[in-house]
Amino acid sequence: MLSAKSLFQEILDNDESFRLFCSIAAGGEAQGGWENGRIAALVPPGLRELAPKVARHGADEDKHGRIFNALLKQRGLQAVAVPYETDYTLLLERHGIGLAHDRLSREEPLTERDIIVYLAHSRVTEQRASEQMRLLLRHFSEHPVLGRAVRMISRDEDNHLAYCHEELLRFARAGHGRTIQSVLRECAHAEIRVYRDVSLAVMRHMGEVLRWSRAKSTLLSAGIHAMYAYERLVGWQRMVSLRQPVLRDALGAPAAPETEFA
């Protein structure tokens, strides 16, 4: 029987599929860390109170990248080059979602709208990250190898999502509500397309490594397309709603010192 747990267990049990999974995850987290670090450095003068929170966001992403690399090291594996079609964060940028790298590479302060775009993009992508990590948390929170990593990353992703909600609501109260909703909708619709394409690509690569049957690959592909159809119809709406989070000021202080994963 196909299930999220059985599929991930299959990927975990094979060195090559596990190496590809961790390499893809580590690459995305490292890119997110760089982006947040640059945004923190370029926050406009009128919004400098946000800079420490953005920096904290970036530090968490960097930490997640180190965690995935540590998981590889524990298995005696090295990261592999990430196939272009599986690079979620790069493909989002190619679709014009978020702040372009050439913009972030310049020593020029961002605008208020740039910060809103960053927060809206993060609100959408952190929704996805939070949901994915909660899925892994449900099945692998007590796993002897993955458990600690899953718990740590899931907590961080929930904090990032809460931070995005709170800051966007602050901007909405300041009169930017229409802009926020417009950018959120644009990001959400682009994200669900990219997520579908990346999911299909990852499953194709995993299928080649694990030698899945054509029937199994077809079934998984159909499931991905069905999820996309649902998200295109109504599921995207969960990515654009805003609500005051239970956890307030989730990134308002430096990360508490903790023993590095590895």
Side-chain angles (χ1 to χ4, degrees):
M1 176 181 176
L2 287 178
S3 66
K5 183 176 182 179
S6 66
L7 283 172
F8 193 80
Q9 188 66 58
E10 189 175 0
I11 292 169
L12 173 64
D13 290 343
N14 180 280
D15 279 351
E16 289 306 308
S17 57
F18 183 69
R19 180 161 71 159
L20 179 59
F21 169 80
C22 288
S23 298
I24 291 171
E29 297 288 358
Q31 183 169 328
W34 180 85
E35 290 172 357
N36 279 277
R38 290 302 300 154
I39 292 167
L42 300 175
V43 169
L47 297 172
R48 291 307 299 173
E49 73 279 0
L50 269 177
K53 299 179 183 181
V54 181
R56 164 76 182 278
H57 190 178
D60 285 346
E61 303 287 5
D62 285 335
K63 178 181 69 178
H64 299 168
R66 293 194 300 273
I67 287 173
F68 285 112
N69 282 316
L71 289 171
L72 287 173
K73 185 177 179 180
Q74 287 179 356
R75 291 266 288 261
L77 302 172
Q78 291 185 338
V80 295
V82 175
Y84 172 82
E85 65 273 16
T86 68
D87 195 327
Y88 171 79
T89 50
L90 176 62
L91 290 174
L92 283 175
E93 186 199 0
R94 292 290 186 269
H95 282 73
I97 300 304
L99 299 177
H101 281 194
D102 63 346
R103 176 69 181 87
L104 295 178
S105 296
R106 301 199 300 268
E107 296 300 328
E108 177 185 334
L110 299 172
T111 66
E112 186 175 60
R113 179 180 171 82
D114 288 334
I115 296 300
I116 291 173
V117 167
Y118 148 69
L119 288 168
H121 167 249
S122 296
R123 185 262 175 272
V124 170
T125 55
E126 293 297 343
Q127 178 78 38
R128 182 75 70 186
S130 177
E131 289 171 354
Q132 289 181 322
M133 291 311 303
R134 286 190 180 200
L135 177 64
L136 291 178
L137 190 66
R138 184 160 66 248
H139 296 303
F140 295 98
S141 63
E142 301 305 321
H143 190 277
V145 176
L146 293 182
R148 184 180 170 210
V150 167
R151 293 192 301 272
M152 187 181 297
I153 297 174
S154 182
R155 179 198 63 206
D156 289 345
E157 302 297 8
D158 288 347
N159 286 345
H160 299 165
L161 185 57
Y163 148 74
C164 292
H165 275 274
E166 188 169 16
E167 297 304 330
L168 284 170
L169 285 171
R170 198 188 316 277
F171 275 104
R173 289 193 296 270
H176 299 283
R178 287 188 177 181
T179 298
I180 291 169
Q181 282 303 311
S182 175
V183 177
L184 280 172
R185 285 194 295 271
E186 180 184 4
C187 286
H189 286 294
E191 193 279 342
I192 63 173
R193 291 194 302 272
V194 169
Y195 184 72
R196 174 203 59 190
D197 294 344
V198 168
S199 296
L200 290 170
V202 170
M203 287 300 102
R204 185 167 62 252
H205 282 280
M206 292 298 178
E208 291 172 358
V209 170
L210 297 169
R211 298 184 179 182
W212 287 339
S213 68
R214 178 173 295 184
K216 183 173 183 176
S217 296
T218 299
L219 182 59
L220 289 171
S221 177
I224 292 169
H225 282 293
M227 175 59 72
Y228 171 69
Y230 164 75
E231 291 196 326
R232 185 178 179 186
L233 184 64
V234 295
W236 63 273
Q237 296 177 30
R238 78 190 189 284
M239 296 181 164
V240 303
S241 63
L242 293 175
R243 63 185 182 278
Q244 197 63 252
V246 174
L247 178 61
R248 306 291 293 273
D249 202 26
L251 300 186
E258 60 185 350
T259 304
E260 188 70 42
F261 182 79

